[in-house]
Amino acid sequence: MTTTPNKLTIIQPDDWHLHLRDGTTLSTVLPFTAAHYGRAIVMPNLTPPVTTTAEAIAYRERIIAAVPVDSDFEPLMTCYLTDHTDPNEVEKGFLEGVFTAVKLYPARATTNSDFGVTAWDNIRDVLARMEKIGMPLLVHGEEADPDIDIFDREGAFIDRVLSDWMTHDYPELKIVLEHITTKDGADFVREAGSNIGATVTPHHLVINRNDILTGGIRPHLYCLPIAKRETHRQALRQAVASGDPSFFLGTDSAPHSIGAKETDCGCAGIFNVPNAIEVYARVFEEMDALEHFEAFASFNGPNFYGLDANTGTLTLERVQQTIIGDIEIPGANDSIRPFLSGESLNWSVVGL
Ligand code: NCD
Ligand code: ZN
């Protein structure tokens, strides 16, 4: 990384957790990712979800068709794990380079997770095969048991699943604890072996639960896992600022139309991609840890996945910007509101 007080040039980053959706939403949101990131791990929670190599190939083609002509963006596809996933299908997809990873959603934990896993015994054969072939498992780490308080679901998942049996029974399995939101998550990953990593979103580094709920309810700050109390946000900021290579960039950018968020039962998800890299830069600067920014954004993820880092660079300058307003979804008579829309940022991307 080359830095001056007013300029940061880093190897081009990747986004290790991204929702791109499909159809006009896909073509609306993808250019924002392609403008900054070399690759992204694309979440499979479409309706219906992406569960086979054939579906992943077809979805990858739709994504590539929507990539702007001046971009080399590469989508990395994931397989949605269900109670019926066939280990042979997973292995075939991995060996053929179609699937980069498998995504585990506990059933009903989050948006479009109805096809997720209902009983852990149903996935043991798949996990054993993935451990054997070195294929990463990406985990939405929230217990979906309705008796568990929503703010305790990540901690409960760590206790009941990750610590209790998964890391014990499959000690070599590569696991990414996605979008961590708690000190428990950060501690678990820090203390685990190098086969366990975590993605951290920009929003969980910036907002706490007060931001969602004080002075009025803010649907555009609602996502899952929900932001926790301030001590947890501080723990996440310290985790990324420590330079520990287990933590890497994953925006969990999850666009929903304004209509679907500002309603009686609004969807979970924050669309943060237009400004995510600038928000991360601000956080590292506030933590006096800019020397670790590039590894978090551009090296720790590829190292975990056993891939080369990108070769191009991305440059940010200390240029004030106002975050863009609502982005229209063509033909939908609706729009998507970016995270922190209308607020001001001290860094701007000036070039790839
Ligand atoms: C995601 C979505 O909308 O697909 N929502 C979210 O709040 N993050 C699903 C997910 O990643 O949990
Ligand atoms: Zn997600």
Side-chain angles (χ1 to χ4, degrees):
M1 176 165 75
T2 56
T3 53
T4 67
N6 297 319
K7 198 168 175 177
L8 297 170
T9 297
I10 62 171
I11 287 290
Q12 188 182 20
D14 302 298
D15 185 347
W16 299 97
H17 183 127
L18 175 67
H19 300 268
L20 282 175
R21 313 303 190 204
D22 216 338
T24 44
T25 302
L26 166 64
S27 48
T28 304
V29 300
L30 180 58
F32 293 99
T33 290
H36 294 171
Y37 299 90
R39 294 163 290 195
I41 286 275
V42 180
M43 288 296 125
N45 64 331
L46 305 180
T47 36
V50 178
T51 58
T52 64
T53 48
E55 285 160 359
I57 289 169
Y59 185 31
R60 183 169 66 185
E61 280 169 7
R62 298 197 295 281
I63 295 169
I64 287 170
V67 173
V69 281
D70 56 349
S71 163
D72 296 327
F73 172 75
E74 183 190 354
L76 303 176
M77 310 310 290
T78 55
C79 174
Y80 188 114
L81 185 57
T82 73
D83 287 336
H84 310 290
T85 301
D86 177 355
N88 294 327
E89 177 76 6
V90 164
E91 177 168 2
K92 175 171 158 273
F94 186 60
L95 298 181
E96 288 175 357
V98 178
F99 290 136
T100 300
V102 168
K103 178 66 193 249
L104 164 59
Y105 292 98
R108 290 173 292 282
T110 186
T111 312
N112 296 349
S113 60
D114 294 353
F115 297 85
V117 176
T118 62
W120 301 126
D121 279 347
N122 296 337
I123 60 169
R124 285 190 168 271
D125 292 349
V126 180
L127 298 187
R129 186 73 64 88
M130 291 170 66
E131 181 183 38
K132 191 165 153 219
I133 63 178
M135 184 178 192
L137 178 74
L138 315 183
V139 171
H140 183 107
E142 288 195 286
E143 265 286 352
D145 180 345
D147 289 342
I148 301 176
D149 188 275
I150 190 168
F151 293 100
D152 298 334
R153 288 182 179 188
E154 187 169 291
F157 187 88
I158 292 167
D159 291 345
R160 294 185 187 183
V161 181
L162 288 174
S163 303
D164 184 59
W165 63 270
M166 195 182 275
T167 55
H168 179 265
D169 296 355
Y170 307 95
E172 305 294 321
L173 181 63
K174 285 180 149 185
I175 301 172
V176 182
L177 186 52
E178 301 276 47
H179 40 51
I180 55 168
T181 58
T182 58
K183 180 173 187 306
D184 316 54
D187 289 347
F188 175 81
V189 170
R190 185 185 309 107
E191 287 156 21
S194 61
N195 58 319
I196 311 233
T199 50
V200 189
T201 75
H203 43 281
H204 291 115
L205 294 167
V206 170
I207 61 166
N208 62 26
R209 64 193 195 178
N210 282 4
D211 293 306
I212 309 172
L213 295 169
T214 41
I217 189 161
R218 311 219 180 232
H220 296 285
L221 298 183
Y222 174 59
C223 67
L224 288 171
I226 195 163
K228 309 297 190 298
R229 63 170 65 241
E230 176 63 5
T231 46
H232 292 296
R233 184 181 77 104
Q234 291 297 344
L236 300 178
R237 289 165 72 93
Q238 277 156 19
V240 300
S242 73
D244 185 325
S246 314
F247 301 100
F248 40 90
L249 187 159
T251 63
D252 193 19
S253 184
H256 291 280
S257 68
I258 293 177
K261 290 198 64 77
E262 297 179 4
T263 181
D264 201 30
C265 183
C267 291
I270 292 177
F271 177 59
N272 58 27
V273 150
N275 50 72
I277 197 70
E278 296 95 326
V279 172
Y280 283 121
R282 185 176 75 184
V283 169
F284 276 83
E285 181 168 49
E286 286 166 354
M287 297 300 290
D288 204 10
L290 273 176
E291 73 270 25
H292 297 306
F293 171 54
E294 182 181 41
F296 173 81
S298 312
F299 294 128
N300 297 349
N303 283 346
F304 182 90
Y305 280 87
L307 299 170
D308 291 333
N310 294 315
T311 49
T313 59
L314 177 126
T315 298
L316 296 121
E317 270 183 22
R318 194 182 301 282
V319 173
Q320 195 268 339
Q321 63 160 302
T322 303
I323 296 176
I324 54 171
D326 298 346
I327 300 155
E328 216 175 295
I329 311 167
N333 198 22
D334 209 339
S335 304
I336 299 166
R337 181 158 307 164
F339 181 51
L340 305 179
S341 178
E343 293 190 24
S344 157
L345 282 175
N346 57 345
W347 290 99
S348 300
V349 172
V350 293
L352 260 190

